[in-house]
Amino acid sequence: MQGGRSRQRQRCGLRQRQARRRRTLLAAGLNTATIATVLPCLREDADRLVPTCPDLLQHLHGERDRITRAIEDLRTSRAALTRVIDAAPEEVEKEPARRA
């Protein structure tokens, strides 16, 4: 009976570690399909994930570039929207400017 409980605790610990890895990668901006692809090539070292496959770094660089482009696109969109807001005539009540 003891061995069964020990194996069950090990499986539970593994599931918790995998869930923690998934949450970390989701927070890093990766989608679930990408996470499923890269997860086998990562290990935990203290509280960080460490790539273990040579091709993974190139893939992660590509994901970072994708996120950088998305940020730049959002900045462009925000600037365009700000220009529209700023073009409102005086008789239109403007909300106090909130600049980030």
Side-chain angles (χ1 to χ4, degrees):
M1 198 67 140
Q2 278 294 48
R5 287 184 185 160
S6 177
R7 281 191 298 274
Q8 185 177 5
R9 277 196 297 268
Q10 287 174 347
R11 284 193 301 269
C12 183
L14 176 62
R15 284 193 300 269
Q16 289 174 344
R17 285 190 304 275
Q18 289 173 338
R20 187 171 49 246
R21 289 174 185 169
R22 284 186 184 94
R23 284 191 301 272
T24 299
L25 294 170
L26 282 168
L30 301 184
N31 62 45
T32 55
T34 300
I35 290 171
T37 302
V38 304
L39 207 52
C41 289
L42 293 169
R43 68 174 169 79
E44 285 186 71
D45 183 14
D47 39 330
R48 65 182 185 166
L49 295 177
V50 178
T52 59
C53 302
D55 295 342
L56 180 58
L57 278 181
Q58 182 178 358
H59 188 80
L60 292 176
H61 282 287
E63 287 296 318
R64 184 176 61 186
D65 292 345
R66 177 190 59 79
I67 292 168
T68 298
R69 286 190 304 275
I71 291 168
E72 291 167 355
D73 290 346
L74 285 170
R75 285 186 176 141
T76 299
S77 297
R78 183 180 63 189
L81 186 56
T82 297
R83 286 191 298 277
V84 171
I85 292 168
D86 291 346
E90 288 293 322
E91 62 271 10
V92 175
E93 186 177 328
K94 293 183 185 181
E95 184 178 330
R98 286 187 257 160
R99 305 272 193 263

